[in-house]
Amino acid sequence: MNLLEVRNLNTSFHIGVGTVQAVRNISFHVKQGESVGIVGESGSGKSVTMLSVMGLLPEYADIAADSILFDGREMTKLSKKALRAMHGSEIGMIFQDPMTSLNPLFNVESQLTEPLRIHRHMDKHHARQRALELLRQVEIPNPEARLKQYPHELSGGLRQRVMIATAIACGPKMVIADEPTTALDVTIQAQILDLLQNLKKETQTSIIMITHDLGVIASMCSRILVMYGGTICEQGDAREIFYDPKHPYTWGLLNSIPKVQSRPGEKLIPIKGTPPDMLKPPEGCPFSPRCRCCMPVCRMYMPPTVALSDTHSVACHLMHPNAPKITREG
Ligand code: SF4
């Protein structure tokens, strides 16, 4: 069953010099208990997509969608107040840098018990008991002492665990994790990913993992959306994306990460060029200025999305039956 279903989402920002078309015509879904990864370079529209879904963008953002259904409710029709009530209670968010999302003026107990008192109407005693339970669940040692501490007294890994505890405090149906491990060192990164995996298993919470790191996606997600220039250029289950990718941008992403079988000194292959300026995105396929397979049609027309299986779809003119047969290798 789909927990989240987004149809034709478009988000733009009106700024002094023009309109930034951050997200263009994207559709996707997330099933109950599923973990979905959204991957792409900075500026590809990953975070804006989820902030649009949550209604968390500033006033000058223009969000239009045919439909955003969450747990059977049409979110585009909800008032700001109703949307706010969903944040923290039904949808939890974990951000990249807990130092900017945890309030430095309040201790861990205040920050953990606040959503419980607001959304679950718990009294002080029960909220404190639940806060202790949550700290144990995210494997924070000595939780009684930690409750009294302020964010600056905790290490980066502990702060991220507190952030996760806050996000899951009210038992949300879905957690959105936006680059949750980028600011952490590799060992702590692995622990946080394990923790999220366990939470998913224990609570059947759906997780949307936003990241530029395919390694994080590989260890966490069963389905992957690849974003470029505000569009979804390829989506599929993890096996399809890692072992049978079809879009030249996905090839580029996979070629630019180290492989277990790489020889010592073997160089990674970067994707040449820079992401498009979304104030003036290129005509046709947004990846055309950087694509080694670019054809004249690519510079004129946006490629349609072609379904290759129930789960795998690709937006690339190479999918046309008359297009040249080009593979990842050449
Ligand atoms: Fe490359 Fe053309 Fe496919 Fe875009 S549509 S990714 S430019 S081949």
Side-chain angles (χ1 to χ4, degrees):
M1 193 187 107
N2 289 343
L3 179 65
L4 174 69
E5 210 172 307
V6 177
R7 273 198 286 125
N8 266 335
L9 173 68
N10 285 276
T11 304
S12 44
F13 297 94
H14 304 295
I15 55 173
V17 286
T19 299
V20 176
Q21 299 162 44
V23 172
R24 299 186 286 167
N25 283 324
I26 72 166
S27 301
F28 64 96
H29 67 273
V30 178
K31 292 192 182 120
Q32 181 82 52
E34 186 183 36
S35 38
V36 173
I38 307 184
V39 68
E41 290 165 299
S42 302
S44 58
K46 315 177 293 286
S47 301
V48 174
T49 297
M50 292 322 298
L51 291 172
S52 306
V53 167
M54 303 265 296
L56 283 178
L57 288 172
E59 291 292 325
Y60 59 90
D62 186 6
I63 305 167
D66 286 354
S67 168
I68 302 177
L69 269 182
F70 177 77
D71 201 22
R73 267 163 303 162
E74 183 52 71
M75 289 176 81
T76 53
K77 297 208 163 58
L78 293 182
S79 65
K80 282 220 161 98
K81 194 172 165 215
L83 272 177
R84 257 202 311 276
M86 283 174 92
H87 304 155
S89 64
E90 294 180 64
I91 305 176
M93 270 209 90
I94 302 166
F95 296 97
Q96 177 177 340
D97 182 4
M99 222 26 200
T100 53
S101 21
L102 292 174
N103 191 327
L105 300 176
F106 293 97
N107 66 12
V108 171
E109 179 169 347
S110 310
Q111 307 202 42
L112 263 179
T113 53
E114 190 190 344
L116 295 166
R117 299 188 72 172
I118 293 175
H119 297 299
R120 296 289 175 259
H121 311 292
M122 285 186 181
D123 62 30
K124 202 172 171 194
H125 170 74
H126 285 101
R128 188 172 191 278
Q129 292 311 309
R130 172 75 179 138
L132 284 170
E133 214 176 88
L134 284 161
L135 291 185
R136 284 186 201 106
Q137 197 177 349
V138 297
E139 295 162 17
I140 291 186
N142 199 1
E144 281 86 0
R146 298 296 183 193
L147 276 186
K148 298 190 187 79
Q149 291 187 302
Y150 287 79
H152 72 273
E153 297 177 282
L154 305 171
S155 66
L158 281 180
R159 280 199 291 268
Q160 197 54 294
R161 284 171 196 265
V162 170
M163 183 81 236
I164 294 172
T166 314
I168 61 168
C170 298
K173 297 187 175 93
M174 183 170 85
V175 169
I176 300 169
D178 192 351
E179 304 273 9
T181 57
T182 305
L184 303 172
D185 64 51
V186 186
T187 42
I188 307 292
Q189 233 181 57
Q191 290 172 11
I192 296 290
L193 292 177
D194 272 357
L195 182 63
L196 287 170
Q197 281 281 37
N198 291 340
L199 287 173
K200 186 176 90 73
K201 262 190 236 151
E202 283 164 17
T203 58
Q204 275 299 297
T205 308
S206 303
I207 295 181
I208 299 183
M209 177 74 74
I210 301 171
T211 179
H212 62 274
D213 185 343
L214 273 170
V216 167
I217 293 268
S219 63
M220 274 290 301
C221 302
S222 53
R223 215 153 50 73
I224 299 166
L225 316 181
V226 183
M227 285 196 73
Y228 188 83
T231 64
I232 295 176
C233 58
E234 182 161 9
Q235 60 176 304
D237 64 31
R239 188 189 45 79
E240 287 162 335
I241 297 296
F242 282 101
Y243 297 108
D244 191 22
K246 297 289 187 210
H247 196 283
Y249 177 61
T250 315
W251 297 342
L253 283 181
L254 290 166
N255 289 342
S256 60
I257 54 170
K259 293 167 202 65
V260 177
Q261 67 271 28
S262 298
R263 291 183 300 279
E266 192 175 317
K267 290 204 171 117
L268 299 176
I269 309 165
I271 305 173
K272 289 195 182 121
T274 50
D277 174 1
M278 298 311 286
L279 260 172
K280 250 182 129 210
E283 286 286 310
C285 170
F287 191 53
S288 56
R290 304 170 76 186
C291 180
R292 68 176 167 89
C293 317
C294 183
M295 304 169 281
V297 64
C298 306
R299 295 205 177 88
M300 290 188 277
Y301 303 106
M302 185 70 102
T305 298
V306 176
L308 305 177
S309 73
D310 287 350
T311 46
H312 196 183
S313 63
V314 185
C316 174
H317 288 300
L318 287 177
M319 296 301 110
H320 192 278
N322 297 336
K325 305 290 168 244
I326 302 176
T327 63
R328 181 176 167 190
E329 290 72 34

